[in-house]
Amino acid sequence: MKQKRIVVWHEFDGQGDTSIQVLEERCAAFSALGHGEIVPEVMNISALRERLAKIHQGGEAPDIAFVPADMLSLQDQALLSPLDPWTVQAAMAKEQWASMQLNGRQLGVPLLRGNHLVMFYNRELLAQPPASWEAIQALATGLQQAGITPLAADCRDAYWFIPFLTAHQGWVLEQGEPALYREQTQQTLAFLQQQLADGVLASQQGATQLLDEFIAGRSAAIICGEWIFNYLAQQMGDRLAVAGLPTLHDQPMVSMTSTIGFVYPGHSLQGPNREQILSFTHFMLNDESQRRWVSEVQRWPVNQRVIDQQMQTASPARRTILALRQQCRPIPLERIMFDVWYAIDVGLARFFDKRCDAREAAAFMQVCARNQIGSQLAALI
């Protein structure tokens, strides 16, 4: 009898995204058991978000999507199937399960934890990681004279914007509503603009230029996601080190964090492939599958037994990455976040393209998010 075909959508952000190696290997391993053919389909994060948002209009739907927890905000557009958490047993803490709950409904199954921003630095260029922005500024002149960028980040990306915003005591929501037209947002934009002008900070595309320049030794440090550690370690070896984000005006730069896991679009758990979908989910939560995230691509799973085992032999850098997660703030899951992310991205582009000033950019972000422009555009694509 022909195996049922289970399609899994997953983001893929270029050569630095080594997580796809584990997903593809695990899909092949499960398929070999004869319980169903698991077919991964990869795309960039923007395409993944847009395709999920179109499902309620009759768009194509996978059986499973492997996504960050904040994509639960697409529950209506993507027609996500809820499930009883007891349907899938796993060695994870209650707070891990809760990370993929929205309004009391379990809408996903966490597989990985982390997804937070850290500072990677080059040991050959920096003897110690700069703990404050003032320390970065003090190092800047000497590094610039040597043709080296002191610090780089993807300043046009909303996720990278968050630590700078939190250091100015801002946040994206207030009582569940967009809170972008605030003095803190304007201050953050003005700060970034000045640091870029001074050459202390460089804005580089996160999946390509940011990594290439750092690996080549042309950037002393970068702000990037923990998910890229494995690729950087492969490319840089002993030159690579990890540290927390620097303080800014004596305030911490706080990254968001989330789990990453399976959701079930197009009401797939109510369809004919339910048993195969749940069987594959169980498979991805077993100790062997969870262990492979650590051993092969150095990501941290949700299975606490595996974490406890791996911590005994983990490198200092990997221990640091896991510890830094405790300093982060959980990513909001409210439905409006789909529009908040879109609004910040578009507002940053307008600001850095010099089409508006900081006040106008903050106002634009607020109006765009409040009026759900991102959702309206997604419905038209």
Side-chain angles (χ1 to χ4, degrees):
M1 185 174 68
K2 186 177 180 180
Q3 294 186 27
K4 288 188 176 181
R5 190 171 186 268
I6 307 299
V7 176
V8 181
W9 284 359
H10 174 47
E11 70 166 297
F12 177 66
D13 287 324
Q15 61 181 354
D17 188 355
T18 58
S19 295
I20 189 65
Q21 299 169 9
V22 172
L23 180 63
E24 290 181 338
E25 186 278 329
R26 291 287 83 193
C27 287
F30 182 85
S31 298
L33 298 176
H35 302 313
E37 180 188 8
I38 310 297
V39 181
E41 183 178 342
V42 299
M43 62 205 76
N44 67 47
I45 190 70
S46 297
L48 178 58
R49 187 181 292 112
E50 290 171 2
R51 291 179 70 178
L52 288 171
K54 290 172 62 177
I55 290 174
H56 74 293
Q57 298 175 314
E60 178 188 10
D63 298 280
I64 300 170
F66 189 27
V67 299
D70 65 295
M71 285 201 185
L72 297 187
S73 63
L74 294 172
Q75 62 168 312
D76 293 332
Q77 296 100 314
L79 304 178
L80 299 183
S81 288
L83 73 161
D84 186 330
W86 298 111
T87 304
V88 182
Q89 299 290 329
M92 75 175 84
K94 288 183 179 179
E95 59 266 25
Q96 301 297 336
W97 278 114
S99 70
M100 296 195 80
Q101 291 174 0
L102 189 59
N103 299 325
R105 304 169 76 207
Q106 191 74 40
L107 293 173
V109 176
L111 296 180
L112 298 174
R113 64 178 78 185
N115 220 31
H116 52 289
L117 298 173
V118 301
M119 182 168 66
F120 296 103
Y121 68 98
N122 187 327
R123 292 181 190 272
E124 293 182 352
L125 300 175
L126 297 174
Q128 297 292 330
S132 68
W133 202 266
E134 291 75 17
I136 296 171
Q137 291 172 318
L139 293 166
T141 300
L143 290 168
Q144 291 165 341
Q145 290 174 347
I148 297 167
T149 298
L151 177 67
D154 191 345
C155 298
R156 288 174 174 256
D157 186 281
Y159 203 67
W160 267 259
F161 181 71
I162 299 304
F164 293 97
L165 180 63
T166 55
H168 286 87
Q169 284 120 72
W171 190 240
V172 292
L173 298 178
E174 185 175 307
Q175 297 182 346
E177 296 296 324
L180 299 171
Y181 188 40
R182 296 286 193 273
E183 182 179 357
Q184 294 94 328
T185 307
Q186 298 174 49
Q187 291 172 344
T188 304
L189 290 168
F191 173 82
L192 288 170
Q193 186 177 53
Q194 186 62 57
Q195 298 308 303
L196 290 168
D198 292 344
V200 175
L201 177 66
S203 181
Q204 299 170 350
Q205 205 282 330
T208 53
Q209 185 187 13
L210 184 70
L211 307 180
D212 293 342
E213 292 291 298
F214 183 54
I215 291 167
R218 292 189 288 268
S219 299
I222 61 172
I223 293 174
C224 200
E226 56 81 24
W227 57 84
I228 210 69
F229 172 68
N230 186 61
Y231 175 70
L232 291 178
Q234 291 173 349
Q235 300 297 315
M236 298 180 67
D238 292 339
R239 290 186 297 149
L240 180 68
V242 185
L245 300 180
T247 59
L248 198 166
H249 307 318
D250 294 324
Q251 297 296 322
M253 294 178 66
V254 181
S255 170
M256 288 183 178
T257 184
S258 75
T259 52
I260 306 102
F262 282 174
V263 296
Y264 308 97
H267 297 315
S268 62
L269 290 182
Q270 282 71 56
N273 293 341
R274 173 184 170 84
E275 293 307 314
Q276 285 75 22
I277 292 170
L278 291 177
S279 180
F280 182 55
T281 302
H282 278 281
F283 179 79
M284 291 300 291
L285 285 167
N286 68 33
D287 285 10
E288 176 60 22
S289 292
Q290 290 274 285
R291 191 177 298 112
R292 285 178 180 265
W293 291 110
V294 186
S295 63
E296 296 184 18
V297 294
Q298 306 194 68
R299 300 293 303 275
W300 285 110
V302 293
N303 187 313
Q304 192 60 48
R305 286 194 302 269
V306 170
I307 289 178
D308 291 342
Q309 293 166 2
Q310 295 296 320
M311 284 296 285
Q312 298 174 21
T313 57
S315 68
R318 286 165 60 192
R319 288 173 178 267
T320 296
I321 286 173
L322 186 63
L324 289 173
R325 182 177 179 270
Q326 304 305 317
Q327 302 174 18
C328 299
R329 190 166 176 176
I331 198 166
L333 303 183
E334 283 86 345
R335 298 179 187 184
I336 194 66
M337 282 303 298
F338 179 84
D339 297 286
V340 169
W341 290 125
Y342 176 85
I344 297 175
D345 276 334
V346 176
L348 290 173
R350 289 172 64 89
F351 178 70
F352 289 122
D353 287 342
K354 299 182 179 179
R355 289 186 282 162
C356 61
D357 62 21
R359 184 190 64 79
E360 292 166 338
F364 177 86
M365 291 177 186
Q366 179 70 13
V367 171
C368 190
R370 187 179 59 208
N371 293 329
Q372 301 181 19
I373 301 300
S375 294
Q376 293 182 45
L377 289 176
L380 295 173
I381 296 174

